[in-house]
Amino acid sequence: MQLTLSEIAEMSGGQLLSGDGSARITDFITDSRQARPGVMFVPIRGENVDGHAYISSALAAGAAASFTDHPLEAGGPLVLVEDCRAALQRVGEAYRERFQIPIIGITGSVGKTTAKEMIAQALTASRNVYKTRGNANSQVGVPITMCHMEPEHTAAVIEMGVSMPGEMARIAKVVKPTCGVITTIGTSHLEFMGTRENILAEKAHMADYLPQGAPLIVCGDNDLLPSLHSDVCRVVTFGLSEQCQWRAEGIAGDGDSLTFTCLAPDGRRQAVTLPVLGEHNIRNALAALAVADYLGQSLSDTARALAAYTPPAMRQQIKEAGGVTVIDDSYNASPDSMRAALGLLADRPGLGRKIAVLAGMRELGNYERAGHMETGAYAKEKGVELVAVGELGRLMAQGYGSGALEAEDNAQASAWLLRTLKPGDSVLVKGSRGMKTEEIVSALLAGLAERGT
């Protein structure tokens, strides 16, 4: 991004209070500790912290400028706006208008980041693809993401996350996708949305900003998504069910990879090999094949690109240490993603124990107790051992019944595992982001490696 401060003031509908309007801005930050030359600070008012308190420190640390929602003396260039978050979104929207390229918008209750990575990988067969970094999919992350696009990009894959009513309309207005993908409608964010039907209605607002006739590609295996209808876009389904327009047959796996035949809506068939496991990844691949086909890329080229896919960090990454397989799925969790991960663990070949180390899931609202107990019961049904971590883990242990091990925290869970794991065992580690279950993964890999030597 190369914008002048005057351009940013105009794009945001703000007023340059102080500073040189010709100064160049190359990025935005919301954390004053990341201040450096060329960046502009965006002070966000939160429930507990007001970013305006850090404007002076951001400028003193080298930031080139800052937004503010009220006049003040801060010792550096300032742009006065009514609302800093909304101003950033207006800049992102204006910057996006400079690009006349296919932009794929991806949303869903779970699986957005993995689907984004797989679709971006698929499109590399014919395009220079820009994609959301990590999971910067929020009201702040999305406009900053759009401002990172560069002239050489010929397609973009943008992750769009929402947790509250009204959020999709704001970020879809920024992204203005030319094609949309919805991975699933599950139970994430029920605390704020109330019902799954409300979640569907919120995420479906992506379609309000799709071009006339553009595809909205949705998982046909989900119980709610096939009911979507739109007067603007055309709904296209993917999945494993017979009624899906893009579907898979002949699925087979060898413990490290999956193969299947993709059936396109017009009867074309394409053999696909994925270097990952899990039915959800077959669905992601089908979505990628549908997107790439819409953009005119051949199925064979897409299949070749998918064969080189690698999963993002802390999302079902399979690691080996001391003869033990550790499935690192520690980035986040919901009841839906827990079921998918438990299925992956249960289906792994091998004679060793299969142990699920599960911590709590957040933002479930009134579904919190039932969601945790159902997850524990599903672990029992799949025949895996359960190590339930923390207070919410106790609910999973109750759902599991006899045989579950309860650990007070990550350290206790790690210590028990390191005492009991043997070569040939497989361990899945998963929990919501705030549970920091990556600490368990790090402790296991380090301890197992040391023990192996």
Side-chain angles (χ1 to χ4, degrees):
M1 184 184 78
Q2 290 286 343
L3 295 173
T4 67
L5 198 55
S6 291
E7 286 177 314
I8 288 174
E10 181 179 357
M11 288 174 164
S12 64
Q15 173 190 349
L16 184 60
L17 279 185
S18 58
D20 180 3
S22 65
R24 293 283 175 176
I25 304 299
T26 60
D27 203 353
F28 295 101
I29 59 169
T30 58
D31 185 339
S32 62
R33 294 168 296 184
Q34 298 174 353
R36 60 189 186 277
V39 304
M40 185 166 184
F41 181 53
V42 185
I44 302 298
R45 291 188 183 274
E47 291 185 9
N48 302 314
V49 178
D50 180 3
H52 287 78
Y54 300 93
I55 291 177
S56 293
S57 60
L59 294 171
S66 176
F67 282 119
T68 178
D69 63 11
H70 62 279
L72 76 164
E73 294 291 333
L78 294 172
V79 173
L80 176 65
V81 295
E82 184 174 339
D83 179 276
C84 295
R85 182 186 284 106
L88 176 63
Q89 291 169 353
R90 284 193 289 271
V91 174
E93 179 184 358
Y95 190 79
R96 181 262 180 267
E97 294 294 345
R98 300 183 175 191
F99 293 82
Q100 301 301 311
I101 62 174
I103 296 183
I104 316 305
I106 300 179
T107 192
S109 294
V110 295
K112 293 182 293 294
T113 299
T114 305
K116 175 256 300 182
E117 293 289 333
M118 195 170 287
I119 291 170
Q121 173 62 30
L123 296 181
T124 60
S126 62
R127 296 177 182 269
N128 183 349
V129 183
Y130 172 72
K131 64 183 179 181
T132 300
R133 301 174 186 176
N135 71 324
N137 61 19
S138 67
Q139 299 289 295
V140 170
V142 167
I144 294 177
T145 290
M146 300 311 291
C147 289
H148 287 157
M149 289 197 298
E150 298 180 8
E152 60 265 30
H153 293 129
T154 58
V157 185
I158 307 298
E159 186 176 333
M160 303 165 68
V162 296
S163 58
M164 304 281 287
E167 290 185 336
M168 179 55 76
R170 290 193 288 273
I171 59 173
K173 189 172 185 285
V174 173
V175 176
K176 291 186 174 65
T178 61
C179 171
V181 176
I182 304 181
T183 60
T184 189
I185 300 297
T187 54
S188 299
H189 309 306
L190 274 177
E191 179 180 359
F192 307 112
M193 297 288 198
T195 67
R196 292 178 63 233
E197 287 75 14
N198 290 344
I199 295 172
L200 172 65
E202 178 64 25
K203 292 184 181 295
H205 281 302
M206 178 200 287
D208 298 343
Y209 291 88
L210 288 172
Q212 185 72 38
L216 179 61
I217 300 168
V218 307
C219 180
D221 296 335
N222 185 264
D223 61 329
L224 295 179
L225 281 171
S227 67
L228 272 180
H229 296 283
S230 173
D231 295 330
V232 176
C233 61
R234 52 190 177 88
V235 177
V236 177
T237 58
F238 66 88
L240 308 184
S241 308
E242 286 290 331
Q243 70 270 19
C244 294
Q245 293 164 279
W246 288 84
R247 58 190 180 88
E249 68 175 19
I251 300 170
D254 61 5
D256 295 308
S257 64
L258 289 167
T259 60
F260 65 92
T261 298
C262 167
L263 277 66
D266 59 4
R268 287 173 296 157
R269 305 169 73 87
Q270 176 62 50
V272 179
T273 298
L274 297 176
V276 288
L277 301 176
E279 284 188 351
H280 62 289
N281 279 318
I282 297 176
R283 294 185 179 94
N284 288 335
L286 290 169
L289 286 153
V291 169
D293 185 67
Y294 169 66
L295 298 186
Q297 184 172 293
S298 72
L299 295 183
S300 58
D301 284 347
T302 302
R304 278 194 292 272
L306 289 173
Y309 169 77
T310 55
M314 296 191 291
R315 291 174 173 87
Q316 295 187 355
Q317 288 194 323
I318 297 176
K319 305 172 181 181
E320 302 283 343
V324 174
T325 299
V326 178
I327 304 173
D328 180 3
D329 203 15
S330 58
Y331 187 79
N332 214 338
S334 70
D336 303 289
S337 65
M338 284 286 200
R339 290 176 70 91
L342 287 166
L344 185 150
L345 174 65
D347 292 342
R348 280 193 63 80
L351 300 177
R353 292 183 302 161
K354 297 176 181 180
I355 305 169
V357 186
L358 308 181
M361 300 171 282
R362 292 182 170 177
E363 297 185 4
L364 296 183
N366 293 334
Y367 185 56
E368 181 176 87
R369 179 178 179 82
H372 284 86
M373 292 191 68
E374 288 169 8
T375 297
Y378 189 71
K380 186 82 163 188
E381 177 186 331
K382 299 301 289 185
V384 304
E385 297 181 35
L386 175 64
V387 178
V389 184
E391 184 177 350
L392 291 174
R394 293 193 185 99
L395 294 174
M396 284 188 271
Q398 288 180 35
Y400 188 92
S402 62
L405 178 75
E406 296 183 38
E408 291 184 4
D409 53 27
N410 293 340
Q412 188 179 72
S414 302
W416 181 84
L417 288 163
L418 287 171
R419 287 196 304 270
T420 62
L421 286 173
K422 298 178 181 178
D425 290 345
S426 296
V427 182
L428 164 71
V429 181
K430 190 168 181 63
S432 275
R433 193 76 204 97
M435 303 306 175
K436 300 181 179 180
T437 51
E438 68 274 14
E439 296 173 349
I440 299 174
V441 175
S442 297
L444 286 182
L445 294 176
L448 290 168
E450 181 178 351
R451 191 174 74 181
T453 61

